Every structure is written in C-alpha cells, then in structure tokens.
Amino acid sequence: MSMTKSKLRVYDDTKALFHLPDGVIYLDGNSLGALPLGVAERVNRVITTEWGNELIRAWNSEGWYAQPRHVGDRIARLIGADAGSVMVGDTLSLKVYQALAAALDMNASRKVVLSDTGNFPTDLYMAEGLIATLGRGHQLRLVAPEEIEAALSEEIAVLYITEVDYRTGRRHDMAKLTEKAHALGIVTVWDLAHSAGALPVDLAGSGADFAAGCTYKYINAGPGAPAFLYVAPRHADSARAALSGWMGHAKPFAFELAYVAAGGIERMRVGTPPVLAMAALEASLDIWDRVDIAEVRARSLALGDLLIAEVERRCPSLELVTPRAHERRGSQVSFAFDGGYAAMQALIARGVIGDFRAPDIMRFGLTPLYIGEAEVMRAAEIIEEVIAGEVWRRPEYQVVNAVT
C-alpha cells in the first residue's frame, strides 16, 4: 500500500496498517486497540537511535521534552479541541483527578459532585479519594444515567461523567448537558475513554470545561498508553494543578524549592513523560492524521446496526442493552446474558474476541479501522453456534480469569 499522505479510506485502506492474527475477529478494540504496524519501527528508532545515540541529549535534540504538548495537539483534532489545550501523560485515573480537583476549586462554595451509576468505577474511586483528602465536606452523588439532566441544580459544583457508558455503550448528550450545567453555574468534567477515536467529539463547540481520556482503546496506542487532559483555554491560566509535579512548574530546571505553576496547559504536566509509550502513540496518530473521524463514525454505526440485527435474529436469548438510536450510542454493542462470562470465553476460544463486564454484559467493540461487514457477519454466525448450541455450558469456559 502506498504510504503517501493522501486520506485513507476507512477499512479499505486502514485494515492493512494493523497487525491482526490469522483466524481472529477482534471485537475488543474498545478495551485495547489492535497493534498499528508502524509502532515497532517507531519505538525501535526511539530506542536505538534517539536513546541509544543521543542519550540524555535527546530531551532537546529529539524533542522529548515537548512531546506531551506536541502529541496533545494531535489528539486535539480528534476531540474538537483547540491547539494548546490538551496535555498528554500519566494515566486516566490521574487525569480525572487533576480535572476534578481543578473544577471543585472553581466552584468552592458548592459541595456536590454529580455523577451517574454508569460511570467507570475508577472515576468514582478517584472522586471518593479526592473528597476524603480535601476534607471540605464534599459529597459524591450518583443517579441513574437517564436521570442526570433532571438532577442538575444550583446545589451541584461539578458534573462529572463519562460520555459513553463502558458497559452499555449509552451516550450522553455532551452539548445539551454542558449547556444546562453552565446555566446553573456547574463546572463540567467529561471522561472520553470510550469516545476519543470512536466518534466525533466537540469539546470547544460544546463549551466543556475539562475532559480526560485514554489512548489505548480506540486510538490504538498500546497497553498502558498515556492518557490526556483537556482544559478549556478560558481556564488554562487559572486552573489549580492539584498534582504539582516538577514538570508542571513554571521553571522546572531552575529547581526552585517553592512550586509556581506554569502558564496554560503546561501546568497540568506532572512527572517525566513516558517517552517510549509516547512513541507508540505517535505511530498510531500517524494513521489518525489521515482518517476522517466522521467516516469512522458512519462505518461504526452501520456495523452496529448489522451486528444488532444479526444477533437478535439468531440469538433471541441475548438481550440488547445498547441503545438502538444512533445519537444515543457509542461504538460498541452490548448484550445481557446470564451465562455471559462463559459464553464470551467460548467465543474467544473460537477466535471472536470480545469481553465481559459484570454482572452479565457481553461487549463487542466496533473499530472500523480494521473491522468490516464480513467480520461482523462471521462473528454473528459464531455467536449463534455458541449460544444456540449451548457450547458455553462446557466446564472449561466456567473458569474465571483475573482479567475479564
């Protein structure tokens, strides 16, 4: 395939840019993306040429020091953010902690953090830990996802939710909720873990205050890949850096004893950036630079419709929990099934890799960069074999692994 900088056609051109094992239909890119072929070469170059030859000089000569901001600008295009508003590094847990801490400081007179029961547990754990550390009487209030809008009030300090539910694929209306939240004086923090690289996001257009996300899912940057944090430009010079690491200092190499936050998004740096992991991320972004996210979304929705129709026709015992309406779902299809864990193990043994979320959710991620109609149709056939044939009841599929 030609590697010129022309636009790539989703799936027709992009599938060849990923390593996909023979005999595998990979429907778990919503949990860990497939390996872009350019990663090994890029990381090897950083190891052998940049680190190997330049040694510590590479922080300047190879641009390692500026990498978190530079890579952040490349991610900004995927999430509708302005240049200079996204910082890359650390983990998603740390980034949501930073965002929530800054948001609470901006609304210090209010004490309620509003989230929903569909939020990813780590977000809730980090909120609980932050609230306990602050000791200022804050409260984490949880409601059902469909009750979020009605629960907004002038009592709320921060609206703190994940745009796309990790279990069901249900999608919140970011623009609508942000507008209503702002009208009530509420600061917004969005988790984009299941949005970035899956669907068009418009942080600037929606007026979101803060957002965080990971890069190892739909962005395909590899296990443990660094996270990103968005701060709206209007807040960038005033948001408090709760994790005041040396890289977020105004003059990190002056080694002053007192912390002084850097200007803008730079203050949201914490420690030394993970250069090798960032290199893998950059290799994946080389693909994303040539892809239209609107085309990705269109293909994702079509694949979702196909999978829903085929599974419902073949396996009526599986209950769809993902919204059918396009505007209300992300890029995964989830079914509830009492034997869901065992059924997923049986599918994986037959080359259809999805995953399971307690108590009974079978998840199938739709990543159009390397999944097409043929893969979805074949997956549906194998799902039918496992469910209708009760293959999942076999003892070997009842053993629960550490990672589900």
Side-chain angles (χ1 to χ4, degrees):
M1 177 180 295
S2 171
M3 290 302 292
T4 62
K5 292 301 181 182
S6 59
K7 282 292 183 182
L8 294 169
R9 294 171 297 169
V10 173
Y11 186 78
D12 295 335
D13 294 337
T14 55
K15 183 180 180 182
L17 301 180
F18 292 86
H19 173 76
L20 296 162
D22 292 339
V24 167
I25 300 173
Y26 193 58
L27 300 179
D28 206 12
N30 56 314
S31 208
L32 175 66
L35 171 66
L37 294 178
V39 166
E41 179 183 353
R42 177 74 177 97
V43 173
N44 185 62
R45 179 164 66 83
V46 173
I47 293 171
T48 59
T49 302
E50 297 181 10
W51 180 14
N53 294 335
E54 287 298 286
L55 297 168
I56 200 167
R57 294 173 296 183
W59 286 105
N60 292 313
S61 63
E62 299 296 341
W64 289 356
Y65 183 75
Q67 211 175 19
R69 175 78 169 265
H70 169 68
V71 177
D73 283 345
R74 296 180 70 183
I75 290 174
R77 186 184 72 84
L78 293 176
I79 57 175
D82 296 326
S85 63
V86 178
M87 182 57 62
V88 177
D90 314 303
T91 67
L92 180 53
S93 295
L94 293 182
K95 289 310 180 195
V96 294
Y97 187 98
Q98 285 181 285
L100 182 57
L104 287 175
D105 266 19
M106 290 170 55
N107 236 351
S109 64
R110 302 186 185 190
K111 301 301 180 184
V112 179
V113 177
L114 177 66
S115 191
D116 68 59
T117 54
N119 204 350
F120 194 67
T122 195
D123 289 23
L124 306 181
Y125 303 159
M126 296 306 283
E128 290 173 349
L130 174 60
I131 287 170
T133 299
L134 291 175
R136 300 177 190 165
H138 289 97
Q139 170 197 350
L140 176 62
R141 181 177 300 171
L142 301 180
V143 299
E146 60 272 16
E147 296 172 359
I148 278 285
E149 185 177 357
L152 295 173
S153 72
E154 293 182 349
E155 183 186 13
I156 310 299
V158 179
L159 173 62
Y160 176 65
I161 52 177
T162 298
E163 184 182 17
V164 176
D165 188 306
Y166 76 102
R167 290 173 303 180
T168 67
R170 181 191 188 278
R171 182 187 183 189
H172 282 296
D173 187 331
M174 179 185 290
K176 182 180 181 181
L177 289 177
T178 299
E179 181 180 15
K180 181 167 183 179
H182 284 173
L184 294 167
I186 301 168
V187 181
T188 59
V189 175
W190 290 89
D191 182 332
L192 305 180
H194 288 271
S195 305
L199 48 87
V201 180
D202 187 11
L203 291 176
S206 70
D209 297 294
F210 298 91
C214 57
T215 63
Y216 52 81
K217 299 180 187 291
Y218 295 97
I219 297 181
N220 309 300
F228 61 85
L229 174 63
Y230 165 83
V231 180
R234 63 186 179 276
H235 303 316
D237 287 320
S238 59
R240 185 176 76 87
L243 299 176
S244 47
W246 76 300
M247 284 287 178
H249 194 283
K251 298 177 181 178
F253 290 94
F255 300 109
E256 298 172 351
L257 297 184
Y259 183 79
V260 178
I265 193 66
E266 291 289 333
R267 67 181 53 203
M268 293 304 179
R269 295 178 68 145
V270 182
T272 304
V275 173
L276 298 181
M278 207 86 77
L281 171 54
E282 287 190 291
S284 179
L285 290 173
D286 288 343
I287 299 173
W288 282 105
D289 285 346
R290 300 169 58 195
V291 167
D292 183 349
I293 189 65
E295 183 184 357
V296 173
R297 176 62 169 167
R299 293 295 297 268
S300 163
L301 291 171
L303 293 174
D305 289 344
L306 178 61
L307 182 60
I308 291 169
E310 287 297 316
V311 170
E312 288 191 324
R313 180 174 68 84
R314 298 167 182 269
C315 307
S317 60
L318 269 59
E319 177 190 355
L320 179 69
V321 295
T322 299
R324 297 178 190 276
H326 286 184
E327 68 277 7
R328 294 186 58 235
R329 75 175 189 238
S331 194
Q332 71 184 54
V333 172
S334 298
F335 296 94
F337 180 60
D338 284 343
Y341 178 80
M344 187 57 70
Q345 303 318 299
L347 288 173
I348 292 171
R350 286 156 179 74
V352 177
I353 300 180
D355 65 13
F356 172 83
R357 290 294 177 262
D360 60 357
I361 301 296
M362 300 173 66
R363 300 194 311 175
F364 300 96
L366 299 166
T367 47
L369 296 188
Y370 48 82
I371 292 295
E373 287 79 2
E375 288 92 338
V376 168
M377 287 297 296
R378 180 56 185 149
E381 293 172 0
I382 297 173
I383 293 169
E384 181 180 21
E385 292 171 9
V386 166
I387 300 300
E390 297 194 344
V391 176
W392 61 274
R393 293 187 182 277
R394 296 179 184 174
E396 63 265 33
Y397 302 132
Q398 312 301 315
V399 178
V400 179
N401 295 315
V403 177
T404 63

